[in-house]
């Protein structure tokens, strides 16, 4: 018996549209990360990018449970000494709502070149419109 090894020409990538309106951030991120990795694919291989493209719309209307909106912070380092900065998710949703979903999904992908390649297939938009109609994306509904 021989093992199946995927080749780039064997992968047929689909496009999905996910509406983030009133969906909990963590539940949205796990579903999107699973699609980006290709875990629902029958021929899934952890060492190969089998995933599909995902378009997330209405990022500004994503929901955080509990007091996370005020208490949760995104910390990043600027590169300078004493350059540790923090921004609350409440402020981030007002200024850069796409970044909230991108950070959540990126944390659920592998931390290597394969994960960075998968992350490039994620497109996030703050409003209800996107410019990927030519790819004929399928609508993917998530449970709230």
């Amino acid at each position: 018996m021989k093992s199946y090894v995927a080749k780039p020409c064997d992968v047929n990538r689909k496009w999905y549209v996910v509406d983030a309106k009133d969906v909990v951030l963590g539940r949205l991120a796990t579903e999107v990360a699973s699609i980006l990795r290709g875990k629902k694919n029958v021929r899934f291989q952890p060492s190969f990018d089998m995933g599909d493209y995902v378009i997330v719309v209405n990022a500004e209307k994503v929901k955080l449970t509990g007091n996370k909106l005020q208490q949760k912070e995104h910390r990043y380092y600027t590169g300078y000494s004493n350059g540790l900065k923090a921004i609350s998710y409440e402020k981030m949703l007002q200024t850069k709502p796409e970044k909230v979903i991108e950070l959540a999904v990126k944390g659920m992908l592998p931390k290597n070149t394969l994960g960075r390649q998968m992350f490039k297939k994620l497109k996030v938009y703050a409003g209800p419109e996107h410019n990927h109609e030519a790819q004929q994306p399928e609508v993917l509904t998530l449970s709230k």
Side-chain angles (χ1 to χ4, degrees):
M1 182 160 207
K2 295 183 178 181
S3 298
Y4 173 76
V5 178
K7 298 175 191 71
C9 61
D10 296 340
V11 180
N12 294 328
R13 300 196 194 281
K14 293 182 181 178
W15 285 73
Y16 294 103
V17 174
V18 178
D19 190 6
K21 184 178 180 181
D22 296 330
V23 179
V24 178
L25 177 63
R27 294 175 190 273
L28 171 75
T30 53
E31 287 293 321
V32 170
S34 177
I35 293 168
L36 288 174
R37 280 201 77 187
K39 291 227 104 169
K40 301 195 185 227
N41 194 338
V42 177
R43 298 177 185 235
F44 171 70
Q45 289 178 315
S47 61
F48 190 75
D49 186 10
M50 304 285 290
D52 299 320
Y53 288 86
V54 179
I55 305 163
V56 179
V57 293
N58 288 325
E60 60 193 7
K61 297 178 182 170
V62 74
K63 190 166 71 173
L64 277 84
T65 58
N67 293 330
K68 291 189 193 102
L69 199 60
Q70 293 84 23
Q71 293 177 352
K72 189 173 170 82
E73 290 183 334
H74 169 61
R75 294 180 179 189
Y76 60 98
Y77 184 66
T78 62
Y80 291 97
S81 60
N82 295 333
L84 184 64
K85 301 275 186 177
I87 183 171
S88 70
Y89 270 64
E90 184 175 30
K91 187 172 181 185
M92 199 186 306
L93 271 175
Q94 294 169 355
T95 57
K96 296 183 256 180
E98 303 93 1
K99 185 100 172 162
V100 174
I101 294 176
E102 288 174 357
L103 287 170
V105 172
K106 192 173 188 176
M108 296 181 184
L109 292 175
K111 277 67 171 177
N112 52 24
T113 53
L114 184 63
R116 290 187 288 276
Q117 181 182 351
M118 292 173 184
F119 184 70
K120 289 180 184 175
K121 296 183 299 189
L122 175 66
K123 316 292 181 195
V124 184
Y125 296 96
E129 303 189 351
H130 61 87
N131 56 358
H132 299 284
E133 288 86 16
Q135 283 75 26
Q136 299 171 347
E138 298 176 23
V139 176
L140 188 69
T141 55
L142 302 176
S143 61
K144 297 181 182 185

